């Protein structure tokens, strides 16, 4: 079975498309995907990579492109969503905690729905608490654990790992050390996992 | 027959993929594409959009992604090609002149081959002269015409037009006012031309 590492950050707009379509995609392609939250803001800031801030034309295009592609994938969205989000680090600390506890994928999908369908900043305590609740977890306890030194260090370790692999943006897919950047490269990553080249 | 405007700049790396695959693609899809050279450097500089300079990780990824996709399209390339190119403006002035005289598409294809297969800077007089020669045109006369006030103004007009349409990078495809950015959005543009949405 082909295996793909899915490196994402809550806060990344294009990751919305992947987060929402990935379960169906895995079932259709008989593929296994490992969800790996990291802090894309750290990586991009370290690399002077600022894709949208101060770029209104490119930003407007980004929303339009996401709208067209969401329609293509039959994903509902109310666009533009609030951007950039406030506490990106905390959001991804919760996600990482959830991945280790087994509810991280559902949390991420819930949070993206709250952000992209309900229009609530995904880095706000309101959105984070609601997404945690929808996973039958305790928001107060979970956010406290997400803010603990252990979880802070764990996300930093994952972020370092992403950077070491050559990841510079989200979403990225990594297969046997090969990096594919962007929701639109998911099929290329699958092809790489299956036969070692892109078709 | 679906019609697509192809806005490109010689100097754009991803435009290589489109330039090399577009003739076959048009034949396969029974589509008409209008080749529209413009000065992407002006547009990007006006919009503070600097995708690769000072970004070694993203640049390395870009070449690897182009390599994988060139293989997918069965396009030969010797990578990385010299980048950035020197006289981007002149290269696109020649291309625009050629589009008006009927040899612009062949010139662009020849120049991209010289740049990406033979490794010669596409903005150099050497590469430009050779690409012009391969179109059975006189290099000295053609470069002089490309440097004339008329051609300078014509490229600026086209560049203004691209920016007005919302183009912010190359390659871009425009269909009924809808902008699609990137070689990987060519299929989306075709779908838009045929049925008004992306499938």
């Amino acid at each position: 079975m082909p295996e793909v590492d899915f490196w994402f950050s809550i806060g990344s707009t294009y990751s919305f498309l992947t987060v929402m379509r990935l379960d169906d995609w895995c079932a259709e392609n008989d593929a296994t995907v490992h969800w790996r939250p990291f802090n894309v803001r750290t990586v991009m800031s370290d690399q002077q990579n600022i894709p949208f801030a101060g770029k209104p034309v490119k930003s407007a295009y980004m929303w339009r492109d996401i709208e067209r592609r969401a329609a293509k994938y039959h994903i509902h969205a109310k666009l533009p969503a609030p951007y950039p989000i406030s506490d990106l680090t905390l959001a991804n600390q919760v996600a990482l905690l959830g991945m280790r506890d087994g509810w991280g994928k559902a949390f991420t999908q819930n949070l993206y729905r709250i952000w992209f369908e309900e229009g609530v900043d995904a880095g706000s305590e309101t959105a984070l608490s609601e997404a945690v609740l929808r996973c039958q977890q305790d928001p107060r306890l979970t956010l406290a654990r997400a803010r603990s030194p252990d979880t802070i260090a764990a996300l930093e370790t994952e972020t370092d790992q992403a950077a070491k692999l050559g990841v510079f943006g989200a979403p990225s897919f990594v297969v046997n050390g090969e990096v594919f950047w962007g929701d639109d490269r998911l099929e290329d990553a699958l092809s790489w996992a299956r036969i070692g080249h892109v078709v």
Side-chain angles (χ1 to χ4, degrees), chain A residues 44-58:
Chain A
M44 294 176 86
S45 163
D46 284 351
Q47 300 188 6
Q48 279 84 49
N49 187 5
I50 302 150
F52 299 117
K55 301 189 182 74
V57 177
K58 195 175 174 187

Side-chain angles (χ1 to χ4, degrees), chain A residues 41-171:
Chain A
R41 205 174 272 174
T42 305
V43 173
M44 294 176 86
S45 163
D46 284 351
Q47 300 188 6
Q48 279 84 49
N49 187 5
I50 302 150
F52 299 117
K55 301 189 182 74
V57 177
K58 195 175 174 187
S59 296
Y61 174 82
M62 181 262 289
W63 291 114
R64 182 64 173 154
D65 189 48
I66 290 175
E67 183 178 25
R68 290 187 308 231
R69 296 223 136 201
K72 166 182 167 152
Y73 298 136
H74 308 289
I75 299 168
H76 177 66
K78 195 175 81 178
L79 301 177
Y83 185 81
I85 69 166
S86 50
D87 201 338
L88 184 148
T89 305
L90 180 61
N92 289 289
Q93 281 160 355
V94 178
L96 183 60
L97 191 66
M99 292 301 161
R100 289 167 183 204
D101 282 2
W103 47 266
K105 191 176 80 166
F107 164 78
T108 304
Q109 291 164 334
N110 286 333
L111 185 55
Y112 264 97
R113 276 192 202 99
I114 291 166
W115 182 20
F116 270 74
E117 294 181 9
E118 299 166 37
V120 185
D121 171 4
S124 66
E125 287 226 4
T126 309
L128 293 170
S129 298
E130 178 61 28
V132 167
L133 258 182
R134 293 185 195 177
C135 298
Q136 289 80 49
Q137 303 298 312
D138 179 81
R140 192 180 306 242
L141 181 67
T142 303
L143 291 190
R145 285 180 63 214
R147 287 185 168 113
S148 71
D150 274 6
T151 316
I152 290 170
L155 188 68
E156 285 170 358
T157 301
E158 284 294 277
T159 303
D160 287 347
Q161 176 65 14
K164 271 193 201 112
L165 287 165
V167 167
F168 57 92

